[in-house]
Amino acid sequence: MSGANSTTEALDLQAQLIQILSSAGLVLRKWASNCNELTNLIQEALRLPNASLSIDDETVKTLVILWHPASDVFFFKVNSLSLEGTLTKRTLLSTIAKTFDPLGWLSPITIQSKLLLQKLWKYQLQWDEVTPPDIAIEWKTLSKGITICKNFKISRYLFLDPDNQFQLHGFSDSEKTYAADPMPTDGKLSWPTEWRKSRLCLLLPSGSGN
C-alpha cells in the first residue's frame, strides 16, 4: 500500500510501478484507490472486485486491518475474545495472540492483555492448569472492553512536509511497560501517530535487585 500528496504524484507513481513490473513480465492486480481518476486508468479486470468507491460500506482488507476507500480511513473488525470452556495459560495465550496489531495502533489496549498474561506467569502454573479466580475476573472484564476497538477510525492520509523534523519519544512507567512514539519537533500532532511500539518490562526473579 502506498500513497502521494497529490493526484499528479499518485499518477506518476502508478505509471512507474506498472512500467517497472511490466519490464519483468509481471502484472499488478487487485488495484484499489480512493481516487477515481487512478482507478479508471486501470483495466477493470485488474481492479479489486467490487472496489467501486460509491459503495459506502465497502472495505478492503490489509492484513487484519480494514480500509474504507471512500472515507480513506483504517478501522478494525473486532472478533469476540470470549473463551469457551476452561481458562488456562494455554487458552489465554492462544486467544491473546489472535489480536494482530502490526503498527501498534491498539497498544493502549493490547498491552493490558499482555500484562495479564505476565501476571499469570508469576503463578508458575502448568499450561493446562485452571487459572486463579482473580485472573479469570480480570480477563472477563478485559475481553468485554476490547470491543471499543471497533469504534476506532484512523486516517490513512499522512501529509509529510520534506522540511518537517521528527523526534522519537519514549514513555515508561519504570515497573510494567515502556513505549516509543514518533512526534514532530514542534510537539503538535494534526494526524494520528503513524506507528508506536510498546513492550513489557522484564520480570525479575524474587529477591533480585534493580
Side-chain angles (χ1 to χ4, degrees):
M1 178 173 286
S2 185
N5 290 328
S6 69
T7 301
T8 301
E9 289 181 27
L11 289 169
D12 288 341
L13 179 61
Q14 181 189 49
Q16 291 175 27
L17 286 171
I18 293 174
Q19 181 180 4
I20 292 172
L21 292 177
S22 294
S23 65
L26 301 175
V27 179
L28 278 176
R29 300 179 183 276
K30 296 186 177 181
W31 284 85
S33 174
N34 64 334
C35 175
N36 281 321
E37 189 173 350
L38 266 72
T39 305
N40 292 336
L41 291 175
I42 300 297
Q43 298 177 31
E44 189 171 352
L46 300 181
R47 302 176 194 171
L48 192 70
N50 301 320
S52 171
L53 301 183
S54 63
I55 301 177
D56 293 337
D57 61 350
E58 179 196 2
T59 58
V60 178
K61 291 183 180 179
T62 306
L63 298 178
V64 297
I65 301 170
L66 300 177
W67 174 47
H68 189 271
S71 57
D72 204 13
V73 297
F74 293 112
F75 64 98
F76 298 87
K77 181 179 180 181
V78 181
N79 295 319
S80 173
L81 293 183
S82 59
L83 287 172
E84 295 183 2
T86 305
L87 181 62
T88 66
K89 186 163 66 174
R90 186 188 305 277
T91 57
L92 184 59
L93 177 59
S94 175
T95 304
I96 290 174
K98 293 178 181 178
T99 303
F100 183 55
D101 178 31
L103 295 178
W105 286 332
L106 302 180
S107 290
I109 295 175
T110 57
I111 199 70
Q112 299 299 320
S113 59
K114 294 176 182 178
L115 283 169
L116 180 61
L117 188 61
Q118 188 181 66
K119 179 180 178 180
L120 177 59
W121 231 260
K122 295 180 181 179
Y123 286 94
Q124 299 183 344
L125 301 177
Q126 297 299 315
W127 281 101
D128 296 314
E129 283 188 69
V130 178
T131 60
D134 61 321
I135 296 292
I137 292 173
E138 285 189 52
W139 173 249
K140 185 177 181 180
T141 301
L142 180 62
S143 60
K144 289 182 178 179
I146 202 170
T147 56
I148 193 176
C149 296
K150 66 182 180 182
N151 298 322
F152 292 173
K153 290 182 173 59
I154 300 173
S155 175
R156 182 206 59 84
Y157 178 68
L158 175 64
F159 177 76
L160 292 178
D161 189 317
D163 296 328
N164 280 354
Q165 294 184 356
F166 293 83
Q167 296 177 345
L168 187 64
H169 290 245
F171 306 90
S172 172
D173 66 5
S174 76
E175 292 184 359
K176 296 181 179 180
T177 64
Y178 57 96
D181 276 290
M183 297 180 66
T185 53
D186 59 8
K188 297 179 180 179
L189 277 174
S190 59
W191 36 266
T193 300
E194 183 70 0
W195 58 265
R196 62 171 57 89
K197 292 296 181 182
S198 60
R199 294 289 185 271
L200 298 182
C201 294
L202 295 176
L203 287 176
L204 295 176
S206 300
S208 298
N210 293 328

